[in-house]
Amino acid sequence: MNGIPKEISDQSDSEAIKAAVKRAQSGEFDFEKFCKLAGEAGVPVWTNDLVSKQVTYYDHNHQALVIELIPGI
């Protein structure tokens, strides 16, 4: 995003990424902060699928931790 690598925890935590998503959706912070919190939750990557209307957050083994539905698109 800005060329500054983010640290990613070795331990994935589905509850932590759920909490970060909820806080981000409420407008509590910006995308930069969300990326930091995702890393702390052990989420190295996520995908956005606008056809199926979902965002999937993955752990280090590329297993889905959280699948979030995208409302209203």
Side-chain angles (χ1 to χ4, degrees):
M1 184 172 96
N2 61 9
I4 301 171
K6 306 288 186 259
E7 289 192 35
I8 301 171
S9 173
D10 292 335
Q11 297 295 319
S12 296
D13 183 342
S14 63
E15 293 304 314
I17 191 61
K18 285 179 190 176
V21 167
K22 185 174 182 175
R23 291 173 61 200
Q25 288 175 338
S26 73
E28 191 174 325
F29 45 74
D30 61 15
F31 187 67
E32 180 85 14
K33 174 73 173 184
F34 178 75
C35 290
K36 180 181 183 305
L37 292 173
E40 290 173 0
V43 175
V45 65
W46 60 88
T47 59
N48 301 295
D49 185 333
L50 299 179
V51 174
S52 65
K53 299 180 183 180
Q54 65 184 27
V55 180
T56 305
Y57 300 89
Y58 297 95
D59 65 13
H60 290 280
N61 297 316
H62 207 67
Q63 299 298 309
L65 282 174
V66 174
I67 298 173
E68 167 197 10
L69 298 178
I70 303 171
I73 64 166

